Amino acid sequence: CLFFFFSSRRRHTRCREVSWARRCVQETGINAEYMGLLKASMAEKQAPKRDARPENQITISAKRNVKLYIFIAKKALTNHETIELHALGSAMSLCVSVADTLMHFGYVKLKKTIVETIELDGMKRPKMRLVLARSADFQKLNDKANAVKKENEVAYQTIFPLPK
């Protein structure tokens, strides 16, 4: 004769510790307001605040596409006279590609190039900063590109109309 006994009580370590912590809080009578303040202070300690980055600074990552950064740079140039492209390590080649494309089409002129070695997490890494100045023809070139984009969208919608 075989008997199987199944318990419905959960015995996971994590759940047990959480329930123990809740019981201790209830027994000691710590109110919810104090717990909220405690959680908020712990969140601040876990996520250190970074310095606010200027609006004209674009941090380039190797995980994104060149076209995205060109779009972001053109948007930033509509509001700022200069922009700074920042890149670390393998993203430096992407940074150069973005700057080269913008210069090739006449949107910007290279103002300054800064290459330095910084220490990050105990390791030395190369960092590049390119300062690009908006060209005198920027607004005219940007308006022309937007007009072409709009024409292409209209042509595409006439060929492939959206279903109603």
Side-chain angles (χ1 to χ4, degrees):
C1 184
L2 290 170
F3 289 101
F4 290 100
F5 179 79
F6 293 101
S7 173
S8 63
R9 187 172 179 179
R10 297 178 69 176
R11 289 192 172 88
H12 298 295
T13 307
R14 187 171 139 208
C15 294
R16 187 178 65 222
E17 290 172 358
V18 169
S19 62
W20 175 82
R22 285 184 184 154
R23 192 171 64 244
C24 288
V25 168
Q26 289 171 353
E27 288 173 3
T28 56
I30 299 175
N31 60 12
E33 182 181 340
Y34 175 74
M35 287 304 293
L37 293 174
L38 185 63
K39 285 180 184 177
S41 67
M42 289 182 73
E44 288 176 4
K45 288 178 185 175
Q46 290 175 355
K49 292 183 181 179
R50 296 181 180 175
D51 294 335
R53 177 172 54 111
E55 290 181 11
N56 66 336
Q57 179 181 326
I58 301 169
T59 304
I60 307 283
S61 168
K63 297 177 183 175
R64 302 286 181 160
N65 193 339
V66 174
K67 291 180 182 180
L68 172 72
Y69 291 116
I70 292 170
F71 174 78
I72 292 171
K74 286 169 65 177
K75 287 292 183 186
L77 283 166
T78 58
N79 299 326
H80 302 284
E81 192 67 33
T82 62
I83 60 170
E84 287 187 23
L85 302 178
H86 290 235
L88 283 173
S90 61
M92 290 170 53
S93 62
L94 193 68
C95 182
V96 170
S97 296
V98 170
D100 185 47
T101 303
L102 290 170
M103 287 189 297
H104 176 74
F105 288 106
Y107 289 108
V108 297
K109 295 186 184 212
L110 184 63
K111 195 172 181 182
K112 190 190 294 186
T113 303
I114 303 165
V115 180
E116 58 192 351
T117 304
I118 63 167
E119 192 164 328
L120 188 67
D121 298 330
M123 297 178 65
K124 292 188 176 186
R125 306 212 179 215
K127 180 178 181 177
M128 174 182 276
R129 291 188 297 163
L130 298 176
V131 180
L132 304 173
R134 181 171 57 191
S135 69
D137 298 335
F138 173 77
Q139 194 61 45
K140 183 176 76 172
L141 293 168
N142 201 26
D143 291 342
K144 184 178 177 182
N146 288 336
V148 169
K149 182 180 176 184
K150 193 168 190 165
E151 287 175 12
N152 289 342
E153 287 175 357
V154 170
Y156 183 81
Q157 288 176 0
T158 56
I159 296 170
F160 302 106
L162 294 173
K164 293 181 181 180

